[in-house]
């Protein structure tokens, strides 16, 4: 059987590491083309969508929030003040540091743990496995994919391997 820890922490950490590399490529691209460092974080695919900076922040929030809730520990709070790709990469690194502090034994029994959150301003209750598989991971991947797409749309040379990793 596979543990809730294995389904969450290593997955979140791996893909945040991939995102950090994408952000680094974006920063190099912007530097080479003399694009102000605040431009790419403000990019949107459509006016009513969040910008790149918020996509990265939310991806990190889902990784740390889901992992903390499943481990039964307090969710770390990060300010949403990142304005450059380097600062967004640092947020990913801080999230990965938190993930590295969690241990598999903290997740034992979390598949049936009650998870209470607020979503869309409304209280929502989940059972652990449904929370991870049907809510946290899909949302994490949505924001991760949108961040990738924003960088790719801006012209950063990214491909599927950059998203999936090695």
């Amino acid at each position: 059987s596979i543990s809730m820890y294995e389904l969450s922490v290593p997955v979140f950490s791996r893909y945040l590491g991939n995102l950090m590399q994408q952000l680094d490529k974006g920063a190099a691209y912007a530097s080479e083309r003399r694009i102000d460092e605040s431009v790419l974080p403000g990019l949107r695919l459509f006016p009513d969508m969040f910008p790149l900076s918020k996509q990265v922040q939310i991806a990190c929030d889902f990784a740390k929030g889901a992992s903390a809730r499943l481990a039964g520990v307090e969710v770390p709070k990060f300010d949403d003040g990142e304005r450059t790709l380097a600062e967004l990469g640092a947020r990913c690194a801080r999230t990965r540091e938190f993930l590295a502090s969690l241990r598999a034994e903290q997740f034992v029994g979390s598949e049936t743990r009650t998870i209470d959150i607020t979503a869309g301003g409304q209280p929502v209750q989940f059972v652990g496995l449904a929370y991870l598989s049907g809510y946290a991971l899909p949302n994490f991947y949505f924001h991760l994919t949108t961040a990738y797409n924003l960088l790719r749309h801006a012209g950063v040379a990214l491909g599927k391997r950059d998203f999936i990793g090695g």
Side-chain angles (χ1 to χ4, degrees):
S1 72
I2 188 164
S3 73
M4 292 289 284
Y5 174 86
E6 291 167 335
L7 287 172
S8 58
V9 172
V11 174
F12 290 135
S13 186
R14 174 188 173 141
Y15 282 90
L16 288 175
N18 296 349
L19 178 57
M20 290 169 65
Q21 292 177 1
Q22 294 166 39
L23 294 168
D24 286 345
K25 285 186 174 187
Y29 173 84
S31 177
E32 290 166 7
R33 284 156 186 80
R34 297 193 173 134
I35 299 170
D36 184 272
E37 65 182 14
S38 67
V39 171
L40 293 182
L43 290 178
R44 298 171 188 262
L45 288 175
F46 198 76
D48 70 350
M49 291 181 74
F50 287 131
L52 173 63
S53 59
K54 191 69 173 173
Q55 301 294 342
V56 173
Q57 292 163 351
I58 294 172
C60 289
D61 290 349
F62 269 100
K64 67 184 172 65
S67 298
R69 289 180 189 99
L70 292 169
V73 301
E74 187 173 334
V75 178
K77 301 214 183 312
F78 294 170
D79 290 330
D80 291 341
E82 296 86 5
R83 300 292 176 249
T84 67
L85 297 180
E87 290 171 352
L88 291 167
R91 184 187 183 108
C92 294
R94 281 194 325 273
T95 304
R96 291 179 83 205
E97 287 169 11
F98 167 71
L99 295 174
S101 75
L102 300 173
R103 300 291 167 247
E105 51 271 7
Q106 293 173 287
F107 290 73
V108 173
S110 65
E111 62 276 2
T112 59
R113 183 174 294 147
T114 299
I115 306 291
D116 293 304
I117 63 166
T118 301
Q122 300 296 316
V124 181
Q125 189 172 79
F126 291 95
V127 174
L129 181 58
Y131 168 69
L132 178 62
S133 64
Y135 182 76
L137 282 171
N139 274 282
F140 173 72
Y141 284 121
F142 173 85
H143 293 285
L144 194 72
T145 301
T146 304
Y148 167 90
N149 287 333
L150 282 160
L151 289 168
R152 185 70 184 100
H153 183 69
V156 179
L158 298 173
K160 186 175 181 179
R161 287 185 185 186
D162 294 294
F163 186 86
I164 301 293

